[in-house]
Amino acid sequence: MIKNEFYITTDCIPFSEYKSLSGEILVLKPKFLLSPYDIPEYQLALCVAGEGNRLFIEFIRDDAATADYKREDFLGILKPWRLPEWAYRRMQDRERRVRMKMKKAVLMTQLTDAPKKEYRIINIDKEAK
């Protein structure tokens, strides 16, 4: 079910006790949503990196869209029981894609790190004595 009302502070856990927000689902303040993205679905964002005041996020609704924001641009961390079903499914899909990329990266590393055989070129002189 799609949420019709914007998320508010009571839907969130305050940042105060969190140093690193990487991997957390954050709730963007509605005033930062521009048309046509000014709907509650675009308030939800996954923090992919960042410490201190600067955060790099991926919007859960459109995981191709990334941006950087300041910590104060968010209401807080979404309470786990407030995560809608569609967002949960998207997070599972994202996790699967990340795992597949990791498997490919490991495989490529194994292939490139395989021991290389050294060949010595021997010049055979037909007129050797």
Side-chain angles (χ1 to χ4, degrees), residues 9 27 31 35-36 43 45 52 64 66 82 86 90 95 98-99 102 107 109-111 113 117 119-120 122:
T9 310
V27 180
K31 70 179 182 180
S35 184
Q43 277 186 279
T66 59
R82 300 292 294 148
W86 67 264
R90 281 199 181 249
E95 204 171 294
V98 167
R99 269 186 283 174
M102 292 296 288
L107 180 60
T109 302
Q110 289 172 348
L111 290 175
D113 288 347
K117 294 182 179 178
Y119 295 97
R120 194 169 44 159
I122 302 172

Side-chain angles (χ1 to χ4, degrees), residues 3 6-15 18 21 23-28 40-41 43-46 60 74-88 91:
K3 186 173 171 62
F6 285 109
Y7 290 94
I8 57 176
T9 310
T10 56
D11 297 320
C12 304
I13 301 167
F15 289 147
Y18 290 87
L21 297 172
E24 299 290 347
I25 297 176
L26 308 180
V27 180
L28 187 65
E41 297 169 38
Q43 277 186 279
L44 301 181
L46 175 68
I60 294 175
F74 294 91
L75 296 172
I77 299 168
L78 185 67
K79 291 178 179 175
W81 56 90
R82 300 292 294 148
L83 184 67
E85 183 65 32
W86 67 264
Y88 178 75
M91 293 300 295

Side-chain angles (χ1 to χ4, degrees), residues 60-76:
I60 294 175
R61 185 71 181 136
D62 180 10
D63 52 24
T66 59
D68 64 328
Y69 284 91
K70 295 180 181 172
R71 194 179 269 249
E72 60 264 14
D73 298 341
F74 294 91
L75 296 172

